[in-house]
Amino acid sequence: MTTMTAWKARVYVTLKHGVLDPQGRAVENALKVLGFDEVGDVRVGKYVELGLAAPDRETALARVEEMCRRLLANPVIEQSRFDLTEAQGDS
Amino acid sequence: MTTMTAWKARVYVTLKHGVLDPQGRAVENALKVLGFDEVGDVRVGKYVELGLAAPDRETALARVEEMCRRLLANPVIEQSRFDLTEAQGDS
């Protein structure tokens, strides 16, 4: 029987450079209206936390990688990166 | 004249524990439909990257903290954290 370990992945999805980011522009403008004139280059992305069970780190990395490719990021306009840590609890 | 340094802040905004996360549930269900049965506890948040100019690290930290409080996160249902690094270029 394979012992499963609980992992926690934090996935960051951002628009690729050169892709227009209207949400980022809106946030930047709002910050400036509030007096944060020193701000620039605001980009808004998604942040996904998820737990998963996998026998080892390599398997967990491969699975999260696949999740990014198949669902979490749109490879045409987005790029994703993630980090993976062993979860506190166990499964 | 004060010398300004360019900083880059990465802000992570997540829903507080106990706040229902329908987007996270939707992503979790979609992952399971795709065969990722080992996944659980999916939470979706926002990720904001921004550049700012500040004379020193303490000022930059205080300004980003204030941006989170006043615009980026809704303190009723969300929590935010951020990290701050010196930007490659200079301003």
Side-chain angles (χ1 to χ4, degrees):
Chain A
M1 195 193 128
T2 318
T3 311
M4 296 296 255
T5 308
W7 304 89
K8 182 165 188 175
R10 293 179 184 80
V11 183
Y12 313 96
V13 181
T14 48
L15 287 167
K16 287 182 181 172
H17 268 283
V19 177
L20 214 64
D21 181 3
Q23 202 184 347
R25 290 293 295 274
V27 169
E28 185 168 331
N29 289 343
L31 285 169
K32 287 185 171 164
V33 167
L34 287 174
F36 298 102
D37 297 303
E38 74 270 44
V39 161
D41 218 6
V42 179
R43 311 275 291 172
V44 175
K46 279 176 291 180
Y47 170 60
V48 182
E49 284 183 356
L50 57 88
L52 75 159
D56 53 58
R57 188 172 187 85
E58 287 63 44
T59 310
L61 287 171
R63 290 296 273 176
V64 177
E65 167 78 43
E66 196 185 339
M67 289 176 213
C68 290
R69 193 164 36 81
R70 292 186 60 196
L71 184 78
L72 302 178
N74 172 356
V76 178
I77 55 166
E78 292 173 332
Q79 60 199 1
S80 63
R81 59 190 173 79
F82 62 90
D83 52 55
L84 186 74
T85 51
E86 213 165 314
Q88 257 37 323
D90 45 353
S91 73
Chain B
M1 194 193 128
T2 318
T3 311
M4 296 297 255
T5 308
W7 303 89
K8 183 165 190 176
R10 292 181 185 80
V11 183
Y12 312 95
V13 181
T14 47
L15 288 167
K16 286 182 179 171
H17 268 283
V19 177
L20 214 64
D21 180 3
Q23 203 185 348
R25 290 294 296 273
V27 169
E28 186 169 330
N29 289 342
L31 284 170
K32 288 186 171 166
V33 168
L34 287 173
F36 297 102
D37 297 303
E38 74 270 44
V39 161
D41 219 4
V42 179
R43 310 277 290 172
V44 175
K46 279 175 292 182
Y47 170 60
V48 182
E49 283 183 356
L50 56 89
L52 76 160
D56 52 57
R57 187 172 188 84
E58 287 62 45
T59 311
L61 286 172
R63 291 295 275 174
V64 178
E65 167 79 42
E66 197 185 339
M67 290 178 213
C68 291
R69 192 164 36 81
R70 293 187 58 197
L71 183 78
L72 301 178
N74 172 356
V76 178
I77 55 165
E78 291 173 331
Q79 60 199 2
S80 64
R81 60 190 172 79
F82 63 90
D83 52 58
L84 186 74
T85 51
E86 214 166 314
Q88 258 35 325
D90 45 355
S91 75

mmCIF file of all heavy atoms in Angstrom, chain A residues 10-33:
data_model
loop_
_atom_site.group_PDB
_atom_site.id
_atom_site.type_symbol
_atom_site.label_atom_id
_atom_site.label_comp_id
_atom_site.label_asym_id
_atom_site.label_seq_id
_atom_site.Cartn_x
_atom_site.Cartn_y
_atom_site.Cartn_z
ATOM 1 N N ARG A 10 0.212 26.428 -3.870
ATOM 2 C CA ARG A 10 -0.221 27.812 -4.071
ATOM 3 C C ARG A 10 0.103 28.174 -5.507
ATOM 4 O O ARG A 10 1.279 28.193 -5.882
ATOM 5 C CB ARG A 10 0.519 28.754 -3.121
ATOM 6 C CG ARG A 10 0.156 28.545 -1.664
ATOM 7 C CD ARG A 10 0.929 29.484 -0.765
ATOM 8 N NE ARG A 10 0.632 29.184 0.633
ATOM 9 C CZ ARG A 10 1.185 28.180 1.321
ATOM 10 N NH1 ARG A 10 2.076 27.407 0.744
ATOM 11 N NH2 ARG A 10 0.851 27.967 2.577
ATOM 12 N N VAL A 11 -0.943 28.429 -6.283
ATOM 13 C CA VAL A 11 -0.779 28.661 -7.711
ATOM 14 C C VAL A 11 -1.028 30.135 -8.018
ATOM 15 O O VAL A 11 -2.021 30.714 -7.557
ATOM 16 C CB VAL A 11 -1.773 27.793 -8.515
ATOM 17 C CG1 VAL A 11 -1.558 27.982 -10.010
ATOM 18 C CG2 VAL A 11 -1.653 26.328 -8.127
ATOM 19 N N TYR A 12 -0.124 30.753 -8.761
ATOM 20 C CA TYR A 12 -0.262 32.151 -9.159
ATOM 21 C C TYR A 12 -0.456 32.195 -10.657
ATOM 22 O O TYR A 12 0.400 31.707 -11.405
ATOM 23 C CB TYR A 12 0.995 32.940 -8.786
ATOM 24 C CG TYR A 12 1.446 32.680 -7.380
ATOM 25 C CD1 TYR A 12 2.419 31.738 -7.123
ATOM 26 C CD2 TYR A 12 0.857 33.346 -6.316
ATOM 27 C CE1 TYR A 12 2.826 31.468 -5.814
ATOM 28 C CE2 TYR A 12 1.248 33.087 -5.021
ATOM 29 C CZ TYR A 12 2.233 32.149 -4.777
ATOM 30 O OH TYR A 12 2.618 31.881 -3.487
ATOM 31 N N VAL A 13 -1.560 32.741 -11.094
ATOM 32 C CA VAL A 13 -1.829 32.842 -12.524
ATOM 33 C C VAL A 13 -1.810 34.321 -12.899
ATOM 34 O O VAL A 13 -2.542 35.128 -12.320
ATOM 35 C CB VAL A 13 -3.196 32.219 -12.874
ATOM 36 C CG1 VAL A 13 -3.462 32.312 -14.367
ATOM 37 C CG2 VAL A 13 -3.260 30.773 -12.407
ATOM 38 N N THR A 14 -0.966 34.669 -13.845
ATOM 39 C CA THR A 14 -0.884 36.072 -14.271
ATOM 40 C C THR A 14 -0.999 36.149 -15.786
ATOM 41 O O THR A 14 -0.708 35.180 -16.488
ATOM 42 C CB THR A 14 0.459 36.699 -13.857
ATOM 43 O OG1 THR A 14 1.515 35.818 -14.242
ATOM 44 C CG2 THR A 14 0.534 36.929 -12.369
ATOM 45 N N LEU A 15 -1.407 37.303 -16.254
ATOM 46 C CA LEU A 15 -1.449 37.523 -17.696
ATOM 47 C C LEU A 15 -0.026 37.607 -18.229
ATOM 48 O O LEU A 15 0.870 38.138 -17.558
ATOM 49 C CB LEU A 15 -2.200 38.827 -17.988
ATOM 50 C CG LEU A 15 -3.708 38.757 -17.784
ATOM 51 C CD1 LEU A 15 -4.308 40.158 -17.790
ATOM 52 C CD2 LEU A 15 -4.367 37.908 -18.849
ATOM 53 N N LYS A 16 0.191 37.077 -19.418
ATOM 54 C CA LYS A 16 1.513 37.186 -20.035
ATOM 55 C C LYS A 16 1.845 38.642 -20.306
ATOM 56 O O LYS A 16 0.954 39.474 -20.495
ATOM 57 C CB LYS A 16 1.531 36.412 -21.359
ATOM 58 C CG LYS A 16 1.551 34.916 -21.188
ATOM 59 C CD LYS A 16 1.618 34.218 -22.530
ATOM 60 C CE LYS A 16 1.622 32.712 -22.317
ATOM 61 N NZ LYS A 16 1.505 31.968 -23.575
ATOM 62 N N HIS A 17 3.143 38.926 -20.353
ATOM 63 C CA HIS A 17 3.572 40.285 -20.697
ATOM 64 C C HIS A 17 3.061 40.632 -22.084
ATOM 65 O O HIS A 17 3.116 39.824 -22.989
ATOM 66 C CB HIS A 17 5.090 40.393 -20.652
ATOM 67 C CG HIS A 17 5.552 40.849 -19.313
ATOM 68 N ND1 HIS A 17 5.465 42.162 -18.916
ATOM 69 C CD2 HIS A 17 6.048 40.161 -18.260
ATOM 70 C CE1 HIS A 17 5.909 42.263 -17.677
ATOM 71 N NE2 HIS A 17 6.263 41.070 -17.245
ATOM 72 N N GLY A 18 2.584 41.835 -22.227
ATOM 73 C CA GLY A 18 2.088 42.271 -23.522
ATOM 74 C C GLY A 18 0.589 42.098 -23.660
ATOM 75 O O GLY A 18 -0.023 42.668 -24.547
ATOM 76 N N VAL A 19 -0.004 41.287 -22.760
ATOM 77 C CA VAL A 19 -1.460 41.146 -22.786
ATOM 78 C C VAL A 19 -2.061 42.286 -21.965
ATOM 79 O O VAL A 19 -1.657 42.509 -20.819
ATOM 80 C CB VAL A 19 -1.904 39.783 -22.225
ATOM 81 C CG1 VAL A 19 -3.420 39.689 -22.180
ATOM 82 C CG2 VAL A 19 -1.313 38.658 -23.043
ATOM 83 N N LEU A 20 -2.987 42.992 -22.555
ATOM 84 C CA LEU A 20 -3.625 44.119 -21.888
ATOM 85 C C LEU A 20 -4.335 43.667 -20.616
ATOM 86 O O LEU A 20 -5.027 42.668 -20.610
ATOM 87 C CB LEU A 20 -4.655 44.723 -22.849
ATOM 88 C CG LEU A 20 -4.844 46.235 -22.768
ATOM 89 C CD1 LEU A 20 -3.558 46.948 -23.172
ATOM 90 C CD2 LEU A 20 -5.984 46.658 -23.678
ATOM 91 N N ASP A 21 -4.167 44.413 -19.539
ATOM 92 C CA ASP A 21 -4.738 44.034 -18.248
ATOM 93 C C ASP A 21 -5.666 45.144 -17.752
ATOM 94 O O ASP A 21 -5.268 45.986 -16.943
ATOM 95 C CB ASP A 21 -3.595 43.790 -17.262
ATOM 96 C CG ASP A 21 -4.089 43.366 -15.883
ATOM 97 O OD1 ASP A 21 -5.315 43.206 -15.718
ATOM 98 O OD2 ASP A 21 -3.252 43.207 -14.985
ATOM 99 N N PRO A 22 -6.900 45.169 -18.227
ATOM 100 C CA PRO A 22 -7.815 46.252 -17.847
ATOM 101 C C PRO A 22 -8.091 46.302 -16.351
ATOM 102 O O PRO A 22 -8.242 47.386 -15.783
ATOM 103 C CB PRO A 22 -9.090 45.950 -18.631
ATOM 104 C CG PRO A 22 -8.943 44.591 -19.173
ATOM 105 C CD PRO A 22 -7.499 44.218 -19.161
ATOM 106 N N GLN A 23 -8.126 45.140 -15.705
ATOM 107 C CA GLN A 23 -8.379 45.118 -14.263
ATOM 108 C C GLN A 23 -7.199 45.771 -13.520
ATOM 109 O O GLN A 23 -7.396 46.546 -12.579
ATOM 110 C CB GLN A 23 -8.569 43.664 -13.813
ATOM 111 C CG GLN A 23 -9.343 43.519 -12.511
ATOM 112 C CD GLN A 23 -9.430 42.079 -12.028
ATOM 113 O OE1 GLN A 23 -9.123 41.133 -12.759
ATOM 114 N NE2 GLN A 23 -9.843 41.904 -10.784
ATOM 115 N N GLY A 24 -6.000 45.483 -13.990
ATOM 116 C CA GLY A 24 -4.821 46.120 -13.403
ATOM 117 C C GLY A 24 -4.842 47.633 -13.589
ATOM 118 O O GLY A 24 -4.510 48.392 -12.678
ATOM 119 N N ARG A 25 -5.247 48.074 -14.777
ATOM 120 C CA ARG A 25 -5.347 49.512 -15.033
ATOM 121 C C ARG A 25 -6.367 50.175 -14.123
ATOM 122 O O ARG A 25 -6.158 51.279 -13.610
ATOM 123 C CB ARG A 25 -5.729 49.768 -16.503
ATOM 124 C CG ARG A 25 -4.634 49.430 -17.496
ATOM 125 C CD ARG A 25 -3.442 50.377 -17.344
ATOM 126 N NE ARG A 25 -3.779 51.749 -17.672
ATOM 127 C CZ ARG A 25 -3.745 52.261 -18.889
ATOM 128 N NH1 ARG A 25 -3.335 51.514 -19.893
ATOM 129 N NH2 ARG A 25 -4.092 53.516 -19.121
ATOM 130 N N ALA A 26 -7.476 49.481 -13.928
ATOM 131 C CA ALA A 26 -8.534 50.024 -13.066
ATOM 132 C C ALA A 26 -8.041 50.160 -11.625
ATOM 133 O O ALA A 26 -8.272 51.181 -10.954
ATOM 134 C CB ALA A 26 -9.776 49.133 -13.124
ATOM 135 N N VAL A 27 -7.338 49.133 -11.147
ATOM 136 C CA VAL A 27 -6.812 49.182 -9.781
ATOM 137 C C VAL A 27 -5.780 50.298 -9.660
ATOM 138 O O VAL A 27 -5.767 51.060 -8.684
ATOM 139 C CB VAL A 27 -6.213 47.810 -9.379
ATOM 140 C CG1 VAL A 27 -5.438 47.914 -8.074
ATOM 141 C CG2 VAL A 27 -7.310 46.764 -9.250
ATOM 142 N N GLU A 28 -4.923 50.426 -10.681
ATOM 143 C CA GLU A 28 -3.904 51.479 -10.662
ATOM 144 C C GLU A 28 -4.547 52.867 -10.599
ATOM 145 O O GLU A 28 -4.141 53.716 -9.803
ATOM 146 C CB GLU A 28 -3.015 51.347 -11.902
ATOM 147 C CG GLU A 28 -1.854 52.313 -11.907
ATOM 148 C CD GLU A 28 -0.820 51.976 -12.987
ATOM 149 O OE1 GLU A 28 -0.687 50.789 -13.349
ATOM 150 O OE2 GLU A 28 -0.165 52.909 -13.469
ATOM 151 N N ASN A 29 -5.557 53.074 -11.427
ATOM 152 C CA ASN A 29 -6.246 54.363 -11.405
ATOM 153 C C ASN A 29 -6.885 54.628 -10.050
ATOM 154 O O ASN A 29 -6.797 55.738 -9.511
ATOM 155 C CB ASN A 29 -7.314 54.425 -12.500
ATOM 156 C CG ASN A 29 -6.692 54.522 -13.876
ATOM 157 O OD1 ASN A 29 -5.513 54.853 -14.008
ATOM 158 N ND2 ASN A 29 -7.471 54.208 -14.907
ATOM 159 N N ALA A 30 -7.523 53.607 -9.497
ATOM 160 C CA ALA A 30 -8.177 53.777 -8.199
ATOM 161 C C ALA A 30 -7.154 54.115 -7.120
ATOM 162 O O ALA A 30 -7.396 54.968 -6.260
ATOM 163 C CB ALA A 30 -8.947 52.505 -7.836
ATOM 164 N N LEU A 31 -5.995 53.463 -7.169
ATOM 165 C CA LEU A 31 -4.939 53.764 -6.190
ATOM 166 C C LEU A 31 -4.484 55.209 -6.323
ATOM 167 O O LEU A 31 -4.273 55.907 -5.331
ATOM 168 C CB LEU A 31 -3.749 52.809 -6.369
ATOM 169 C CG LEU A 31 -3.951 51.385 -5.849
ATOM 170 C CD1 LEU A 31 -2.826 50.468 -6.315
ATOM 171 C CD2 LEU A 31 -4.047 51.358 -4.326
ATOM 172 N N LYS A 32 -4.374 55.683 -7.569
ATOM 173 C CA LYS A 32 -3.922 57.063 -7.771
ATOM 174 C C LYS A 32 -4.958 58.061 -7.273
ATOM 175 O O LYS A 32 -4.607 59.076 -6.665
ATOM 176 C CB LYS A 32 -3.556 57.279 -9.236
ATOM 177 C CG LYS A 32 -2.250 56.567 -9.537
ATOM 178 C CD LYS A 32 -1.678 56.777 -10.901
ATOM 179 C CE LYS A 32 -0.270 56.155 -10.906
ATOM 180 N NZ LYS A 32 0.284 55.950 -12.233
ATOM 181 N N VAL A 33 -6.216 57.753 -7.517
ATOM 182 C CA VAL A 33 -7.288 58.616 -7.008
ATOM 183 C C VAL A 33 -7.217 58.708 -5.481
ATOM 184 O O VAL A 33 -7.472 59.754 -4.893
ATOM 185 C CB VAL A 33 -8.672 58.086 -7.472
ATOM 186 C CG1 VAL A 33 -9.799 58.764 -6.711
ATOM 187 C CG2 VAL A 33 -8.835 58.283 -8.971
#
